[in-house]
Amino acid sequence: MMQENKLISFHRMLINDAVRTAAYRDAIFATVRPGDVVLDVGSGSGVLALFAAQAGAGHVHCVERHAIIRVARELAEANGFANRISFHQCDIRALELDGPVDLIQSELISKAAIGEQMAELVGWCRDRFLRPGGALLPPSVDMFVAPVELAALAARISLPAFETYGLDFGPLATRNSNAPVSTRIQPEEVIAPGQICYRYDAATAPLTDSFDAALVFEVSEARTLTGFTIWFETELAPGILLGNAPPGTGSWDHLFFALPYPLALTRGDCVELRISGRDDSAMEWLVRWDTRIVRGGIEIAAHRQSTFHGGLPIAERVTAPA
Amino acid sequence: MTIELHTMLHRHGDLLVQPIDDDLVMADIQSGKYFGLTDTARAIWDLLDQPATPAAICDALAESHNVDRATCEHDVLAFLRDLQGEGLVRAAG
């Protein structure tokens, strides 16, 4: 669990991301109708709940499992909304409400779109508390993936050659290239336009974020492929867009999914990517990316990678058949 | 289809596999499950590297494990049926 001092700095960063915060405020004002009952899932510091109250909600329920909900309560009191916001510090599955809600709002979007169990947490509430015809914010989230050239970062995260220390880092190298790195990617580092690999639809999504996409990126100029990145785009309300396409926003940077080694591409090469993944409480954020580079119809490189191979599986999450 | 001693079996599913010490840890993105195979379970999984029948697996285990044939067949069949239930093995053909 995140230490409280880190929680404060984390939520300060979120609030200070003007792109994020203003977009959510605009969307909440466009969505909330006077008197609405709103459920704010994963409230954090409660800023989105405060916006809902400002927008005229009759009552807002905040549900948050971390102690940061104390800050949300303090902010509600300081802003005169304490009588219209109630606070539930609990796991979402323990939440009990005395009636349906008109709107479920959340910001459970990770830098790679999924990874905060958005589908499971929002879906759980949707299926229990949302009145028929009620609204969900965000209504959908698109997940994009694109090949990138990050030569400096690729060099920085590589391991020492044998000659440096007289040690073979080979076994760590495999884990290293399967462990995504958080970084900030610039538009010019994107080799080909991003393509959608997953669309989360809040109204209909099952309780698992799960995707499996086969994509082809055509290379238009000589570049060096070092890996891939993922970002999200969403239309929070009609005309109110939010996303972290490179260069990202103040609080959302990017994940870099490295290839084992850089690959020189020429114009006309095809980067074939099969990317699949899953995120829920049973299998927290697992992504697999299989890459194939084709030149003139001939395969010149192929890699199979996954975050599973970038980590050390925890024994208690393993269930052996009897 | 119930697995019997002479049912030809093969591994099924696009699993992510990682050896940890002497064990095998596997992740199935489709089902959202992790599996850990230890000791004899791993040995049986390794023997399914190529399609095989439970009888053939028992032949191989009899050489490497000190177990009587009836117990071996009973336990191997039970384990393989569990794997089938998890979608990890299928009958060939």
Side-chain angles (χ1 to χ4, degrees), chain A residues 2-304:
Chain A
M2 204 182 287
Q3 296 289 321
E4 279 192 52
N5 57 348
K6 288 185 180 176
L7 274 174
I8 296 298
S9 60
F10 175 68
H11 286 281
R12 182 182 63 227
M13 177 189 70
L14 295 180
I15 293 168
N16 281 334
D17 181 349
V19 172
R20 166 193 179 275
T21 304
Y24 260 92
R25 186 172 193 269
D26 290 347
I28 289 169
F29 272 73
T31 306
V32 171
R33 298 165 312 166
D36 271 358
V37 177
V38 177
L39 174 56
D40 187 62
V41 178
S43 297
S45 67
V47 65
L48 303 187
L50 296 173
F51 289 156
Q54 278 184 326
H59 197 84
V60 184
H61 294 281
C62 288
V63 58
E64 166 64 55
R65 65 190 173 119
H66 291 302
I68 190 72
I69 198 168
R70 289 186 225 149
V71 173
R73 183 180 286 113
E74 291 167 5
L75 290 175
E77 289 169 358
N79 288 280
F81 294 128
N83 62 338
R84 284 199 284 138
I85 305 181
S86 46
F87 301 90
H88 310 265
Q89 185 177 1
C90 62
D91 184 277
I92 204 82
R93 295 160 198 84
L95 180 66
E96 293 182 8
L97 299 179
D98 54 10
V101 304
D102 303 294
L103 166 67
I104 296 175
Q105 63 180 29
S106 67
E107 195 281 82
L108 296 168
I109 308 170
S110 84
K111 66 185 74 173
I114 67 169
E116 298 184 15
Q117 299 173 24
M118 175 170 58
E120 184 171 353
L121 299 177
V122 173
W124 177 277
C125 294
R126 174 198 65 203
D127 295 346
R128 283 158 184 78
F129 305 124
L130 188 64
R131 69 163 172 77
L136 291 137
L137 194 164
S140 65
V141 178
D142 288 336
M143 180 178 179
F144 286 77
V145 61
V148 293
E149 176 175 8
L150 298 174
L153 177 64
R156 198 163 69 242
I157 63 175
S158 65
L159 292 159
F162 181 83
E163 292 73 23
T164 307
Y165 300 113
L167 293 173
D168 174 12
F169 288 100
L172 178 56
T174 301
R175 293 195 195 286
N176 190 44
S177 64
N178 284 280
V181 177
S182 187
T183 188
R184 179 66 58 144
I185 293 173
Q186 299 304 316
E188 61 272 20
E189 293 171 316
V190 176
I191 291 175
Q195 298 184 37
I196 292 179
C197 57
Y198 174 54
R199 166 165 282 189
Y200 162 75
D201 183 334
T204 59
L207 302 189
T208 297
D209 281 306
S210 177
F211 65 96
D212 187 349
L215 307 170
V216 178
F217 299 91
E218 292 186 13
V219 179
S220 60
E221 60 178 336
R223 299 291 295 262
T224 300
L225 176 68
T226 58
F228 300 90
T229 193
I230 290 174
W231 67 82
F232 76 88
E233 294 181 10
T234 178
E235 187 170 15
L236 293 171
I240 302 173
L241 306 176
L242 180 63
N244 70 328
T249 76
S251 59
W252 279 299
D253 49 15
H254 305 102
L255 279 183
F256 172 54
F257 296 76
L259 287 176
Y261 51 84
L263 287 165
L265 302 177
T266 61
R267 177 184 168 86
D269 285 355
C270 285
V271 178
E272 297 181 1
L273 173 68
R274 178 162 179 200
I275 184 165
S276 57
R278 187 181 183 100
D279 179 52
D280 57 23
S281 54
M283 181 171 274
E284 293 174 23
W285 194 77
L286 196 156
V287 176
R288 171 179 188 160
W289 64 107
D290 296 343
T291 312
R292 188 166 170 261
I293 311 299
V294 178
R295 178 173 298 162
I298 298 170
E299 178 183 296
I300 60 169
H303 299 287
R304 295 165 67 87

Side-chain angles (χ1 to χ4, degrees), chain A residues 175 278 308-309 318-320, chain B residues 17-18 29-30 32 34 36 82:
Chain A
R175 293 195 195 286
R278 187 181 183 100
F308 178 71
H309 289 101
V318 172
T319 54
Chain B
V17 181
Q18 183 178 164
I29 291 183
Q30 283 202 320
Y34 293 95
D82 284 344

Side-chain angles (χ1 to χ4, degrees), chain B residues 2-52:
Chain B
T2 303
I3 294 174
E4 304 296 348
L5 274 177
H6 297 286
T7 307
M8 185 62 76
L9 300 172
H10 63 87
R11 295 177 185 169
H12 179 69
D14 199 7
L15 299 169
L16 298 168
V17 181
Q18 183 178 164
I20 301 285
D21 300 325
D22 293 331
D23 304 336
L24 214 54
V25 181
M26 309 192 298
D28 183 354
I29 291 183
Q30 283 202 320
S31 69
K33 290 184 178 177
Y34 293 95
F35 302 97
L37 301 183
T38 64
D39 302 327
T40 311
R42 178 174 183 175
I44 294 171
W45 183 259
D46 288 344
L47 288 165
L48 282 166
D49 183 42
Q50 300 293 325

